Amino acid sequence: GKKYLEKNDTKSALNAFLSSLDRANITGDKEAAGMICYEIGQIYDKDDKLTEALNYYHETILSSTNNNLKSKAFYAMGQIYDDVVYFEPAMEHYYASVSYAGEAENLKAQTKALSNIANMYAERYDRDNTYTYLDIAKQIATETNDSKTMGAIWTKSGDTLSIINEDVNALKDYKQSAMFYREAESPIKMAKNFEKASDIMLKLGNKTKAKSLLEKAYSLSVDADDRNYTKALSKKLLSV
């Protein structure tokens, strides 16, 4: 099933996983059944068959005793409810994801769910809760001592703060994220943060700074030999 997914043959992958699930159920292997249900849920999720995806994620939670897998399933369900703007169910599933990730001592998973909770509060213009959950996510991300994890959370924080027009703090987070990604030797991720910061500067009317930041992003994309991104940035520079 996974090999079919690597080839983007989702129909064959689904058939393989369903056959595997039948076998797992026959042998009474609940752990295997849980893992397979999650894979099936992912396929339906990507195809926007949300009811089927939710059902299989739910079966994952019922079958598995693996807290990491339960956390992933709750997170995926939270994202579905988040995308369709069902606030309370999304929150409940994100909280459950945080809880199971905590049981598994999975700090990275906790930061992802917490930052999504913050983002949901930002979309409701609840500044206090937005900052509260971003601060918790950052604190836990720092405990990972992983530059990529910290970079991702600070970028997400910048995106979230942009929603509530906290532009100055968003700029600070993009700058900090770029520093984390420099440590992680991830030039494209650095470039993305410079691009986001450029967008804010343009919004604030500072075209000179906006262009300077875009030029930094462009230079990083050239060094990384990401031709598609370089082309997109080049086009964007012409409009500044």
Side-chain angles (χ1 to χ4, degrees):
K2 289 187 176 182
K3 286 186 176 181
Y4 282 128
L5 282 181
E6 290 173 3
K7 299 175 183 178
N8 293 318
D9 186 350
T10 55
K11 184 177 179 180
S12 297
L14 184 59
N15 288 334
F17 283 132
L18 288 171
S19 296
S20 185
L21 181 59
D22 286 341
R23 184 63 183 169
N25 288 332
I26 290 170
T27 59
D29 191 339
K30 289 189 174 182
E31 290 303 318
M35 289 187 284
I36 297 161
C37 283
Y38 181 78
E39 296 287 352
I40 295 172
Q42 288 274 282
I43 291 173
Y44 282 128
D45 201 343
K46 289 175 183 176
D47 285 344
D48 286 329
K49 296 179 179 177
L50 302 184
T51 300
E52 292 89 341
L54 287 169
N55 287 337
Y56 277 101
Y57 288 143
H58 184 65
E59 287 300 317
T60 299
I61 294 161
L62 293 178
S63 299
S64 180
T65 59
N66 184 310
N67 287 330
N68 274 317
L69 188 59
K70 285 178 180 284
S71 177
K72 287 170 67 176
F74 273 117
Y75 180 83
M77 294 173 80
Q79 283 189 304
I80 289 174
Y81 288 120
D82 192 349
D83 288 343
V84 296
V85 200
Y86 282 1
F87 184 81
E88 293 299 335
M91 282 292 182
E92 289 173 9
H93 286 84
Y94 282 146
Y95 282 131
S97 178
V98 172
S99 178
Y100 279 105
E103 291 293 325
E105 298 183 354
N106 187 335
L107 300 179
K108 292 181 182 180
Q110 285 181 288
T111 61
K112 285 176 62 179
L114 287 164
S115 64
N116 279 15
I117 291 171
N119 196 75
M120 289 189 68
Y121 277 120
E123 289 174 349
R124 294 166 74 93
Y125 294 94
D126 184 335
R127 280 178 164 75
D128 288 342
N129 275 313
T130 297
Y131 273 106
T132 294
Y133 283 96
L134 285 178
D135 287 345
I136 297 170
K138 288 177 178 177
Q139 180 182 343
I140 295 174
T142 302
E143 292 173 15
T144 68
N145 290 316
D146 180 78
S147 296
K148 287 186 177 180
T149 298
M150 290 186 281
I153 292 304
W154 262 259
T155 296
K156 183 65 177 288
S157 179
D159 294 345
T160 299
L161 292 175
S162 295
I163 294 172
I164 54 175
N165 298 314
E166 293 285 340
D167 295 326
V168 173
N169 287 330
L171 285 168
K172 290 178 182 177
D173 282 345
Y174 289 140
K175 180 180 179 181
Q176 183 62 56
S177 179
M179 292 174 67
F180 286 133
Y181 280 126
R182 180 181 290 114
E183 293 173 4
E185 298 181 352
S186 300
I188 294 301
K189 293 292 181 69
M190 285 179 64
K192 294 285 187 182
N193 278 281
F194 285 133
E195 183 185 7
K196 289 172 183 285
S198 173
D199 290 340
I200 291 181
M201 282 299 181
L202 200 58
K203 172 186 170 184
L204 296 175
N206 191 336
K207 289 187 177 182
T208 302
K209 187 63 176 178
K211 186 174 182 179
S212 174
L213 288 164
L214 267 184
E215 287 171 344
K216 287 183 180 181
Y218 177 83
S219 178
L220 287 164
S221 70
V222 170
D223 291 342
D225 197 26
D226 189 328
R227 295 181 183 181
N228 289 333
Y229 189 38
T230 298
K231 185 177 179 180
L233 288 173
S234 179
K235 184 178 180 181
K236 199 168 183 177
L237 271 166
L238 292 174
S239 66
V240 177

